[in-house]
Amino acid sequence: MENKEKLEWKRPEEVMQLHRLKMRKRALQARINNVRLNSTTAEISEKSSPVPGLFVSQKRKNPFVKDEANKKPNITPPDLEVSNDSTLFELLKIDPPKVAEAETSFENCPLTFSNAFLRPDKIKDMVELETVKGEKYIPIDWTLKSKMRFMSPKPFPWNCKLRTSEEASGTTGFVRCLNISEQDSTLDTSPNARLHRCCLIWQHPSIPWLDLFPRSAGKVSATLVNNSIITNNTAIKEALYKEWCESFRSLFNLLRARQCPYFYVCANNFTVLFRAAGICGVSEAHALLTPTTRGFRQLLNQEEIEYTMPLRKDNRRRSDGTDSGCDTLDSTTTNTASYKEHENIDDEEVETQDEWLQSLGVENAEIRKINSSQARITLEKQTDIDNLKQSLVFVKGVEAQALFNFLINCKSAITTNGPLAGVPPTLLAPVAFHGAMLRPIKVRESVVRVDNERFFSLELKGPLLPHVLPSLCSLMKSSQMEKYSASCARLDSTTSFSDVKHEIGRLLFLIRTVPVAFIYRLTDRIFSDQKESSNVLKISENVFGKENLSDCGFTNELVKYFCNPDSTRIEVIENIKYSNNLYTWS
């Protein structure tokens, strides 16, 4: 029986309890033995001392000697033994702040490892600044758009139901080119009136039963549209053409006088963008035409209109090895612009080659075959960019006037078949001109759900010119909209307008157009501040463009926006988002 009791199983709790009890006993016993040992040592010292009451000097332990026996092993990696602020910021992937050494107060003290726990809000702000990306400006997009939709998690400060005063004030502000948000007048300054002002456009011609934008014959349904009234009546076609010529001439004169910033000419097969002097930093009135074909460019050569093709890749070998392969607007020389001269040079080369082949005894039939094959290869090279964005044509100055005369007399600008036969090209402008009709952009407001989230939607449909997007974004910013996004449906044939990068104009233009006293002040500023000398030309051209276009119908903010000579601010926009006072786009 006794053996059975000894062999009984014990629970782990009982075993651990006995173990802890033994440990406590050992610790108590060690303390008792230590006290006894110290007292015994004192008694022995006192007895061994020759003088009663005097202790014998014992060699005491050096307190500064490291205890190698009780030293704990270092488990910290050698790379992390020395921890400072720089390694902390490297691990967090945050750039250390640069502050002056004299800033020692708590408000201005730098964010370091020692005071990071005292100021956790600063770390949060720095991380947010590191993650948030965007710009404070909106790039210029010269692409024509047919639809635009704004979406916001919060309701917009306006609605589509306009009151009488709001519609009247918006129309008056647009027609008279008044900024109703700043003018001291009796006009309505509500968000509805300001929105209505941004959604108007001038157009010619305007035929109620025809949709003249976008001008693509393939997109117009012939079954729904009966245009036999125009196609079968010569008098109507002549009246439309005559009226269109007067409107086109009036609009171009406004552009030359810098009272119109830009306008579009939309034909069935091509689109032309005319821009006033000062827009995008270009010193003269200029025009861009896209797309083109080899036959159309031959017509320009016959009219002796010199042009450049800045988006076309230059396959010719240049003496300058720094050429990137594409012609820019200012670097392209007259030889590259006048294709007629190159054709003459090619003809001379062909005659020389024929004489050389005849001297070698080659028959005329073989020479004709060689010439025909070379002509076919040359034709393929010239037509490989037809109807592509690389076929964009750029003219400037006097050549813009020549292009205007060419378009008025160009028979190919008016199609002879299809639903739009006999209808002149559509003129679109932000300012009034002879024969123009005031057309409103269709606006529709709704509520949509995306991923089970509710969004307020504002959809615009119609010819949307480049100034509409920045105007609406400025309106939303003044209305304190914290977050919204916009998506655009563009006219693909006009995207090449935003692919052209303009270089800064010449300083000679400034000398011809500004007072001498201002030039002296400008040169003093150049030599007094060497850091800003590289940007003086950009700033000055922007200033001159703003002053010359002060009566173009735009607000000062929009004039500054379109006169910016920075080519990096010209981009094609499909989607744009606004958050944290910054814009991001794609």
Side-chain angles (χ1 to χ4, degrees), residues 309-314 318 323-328 331-332:
M309 302 178 70
L311 299 181
R312 181 181 181 180
K313 293 182 179 179
D314 190 6
R318 290 174 177 264
D323 192 358
S324 60
C326 295
D327 296 337
T328 58
S331 63
T332 308

Side-chain angles (χ1 to χ4, degrees), residues 64-230:
F64 300 101
V65 176
K66 293 183 179 179
D67 191 0
E68 298 294 338
N70 298 329
K71 184 177 180 181
K72 296 181 180 180
N74 185 11
I75 61 175
T76 306
D79 297 336
L80 298 179
E81 279 188 1
V82 181
S83 178
N84 51 20
D85 298 333
S86 60
T87 56
L88 176 63
F89 283 111
E90 289 179 1
L91 292 174
L92 296 178
K93 296 182 179 181
I94 300 176
D95 297 333
K98 298 180 181 180
V99 296
E101 297 180 357
E103 297 177 351
T104 56
S105 62
F106 177 78
E107 296 295 333
N108 298 325
C109 63
L111 181 62
T112 59
F113 180 75
S114 59
N115 61 10
F117 297 99
L118 300 177
R119 303 169 65 193
D121 55 330
K122 298 297 182 182
I123 296 180
K124 182 179 179 181
D125 296 340
M126 290 186 63
V127 173
E128 290 180 355
L129 291 175
E130 186 71 19
T131 56
V132 174
K133 295 181 180 180
E135 301 291 344
K136 294 184 178 181
Y137 64 88
I138 303 174
I140 305 174
D141 187 6
W142 293 103
T143 306
L144 278 174
K145 299 176 178 60
S146 58
K147 290 183 181 179
M148 191 179 298
R149 171 177 285 184
F150 287 86
M151 297 182 66
S152 172
K154 294 183 179 180
F156 294 103
W158 52 74
N159 53 64
C160 298
K161 297 180 181 179
L162 297 175
R163 295 182 299 177
T164 303
S165 61
E166 293 171 346
E167 182 178 359
S169 298
T171 304
T172 302
F174 178 76
V175 172
R176 299 181 183 177
C177 301
L178 301 176
N179 188 3
I180 60 177
S181 61
E182 297 179 359
Q183 293 289 337
D184 297 333
S185 62
T186 58
L187 297 178
D188 194 341
T189 60
S190 63
N192 277 6
R194 295 163 62 188
L195 173 67
H196 183 63
R197 184 191 182 280
C198 298
C199 299
L200 295 172
I201 193 174
W202 295 101
Q203 176 181 328
H204 179 87
S206 180
I207 303 174
W209 63 89
L210 288 178
D211 189 6
L212 299 181
F213 180 85
R215 287 295 298 261
S216 178
K219 295 183 179 180
V220 180
S221 177
T223 59
L224 299 178
V225 178
N226 186 6
N227 196 27
S228 59
I229 301 176
I230 299 177

Side-chain angles (χ1 to χ4, degrees), residues 358-377:
Q358 289 177 358
S359 64
L360 295 177
V362 181
E363 297 180 357
N364 293 332
E366 295 294 331
I367 294 175
R368 285 195 295 270
K369 290 181 180 179
I370 295 173
N371 292 338
S372 62
S373 62
Q374 290 181 348
R376 185 173 62 255
I377 294 173

Side-chain angles (χ1 to χ4, degrees), residues 21-39:
L21 184 59
K22 290 179 182 180
M23 294 296 293
R24 290 175 184 174
K25 288 181 179 179
R26 291 176 183 175
L28 182 60
Q29 188 66 31
R31 290 177 60 188
I32 294 173
N33 292 337
N34 190 19
V35 172
R36 290 179 178 176
L37 180 62
N38 292 337
S39 60

Side-chain angles (χ1 to χ4, degrees), residues 72 184 284 317 510 576:
K72 296 181 180 180
D184 297 333
E284 297 176 284
R317 186 174 181 179
L510 303 180
I576 188 169

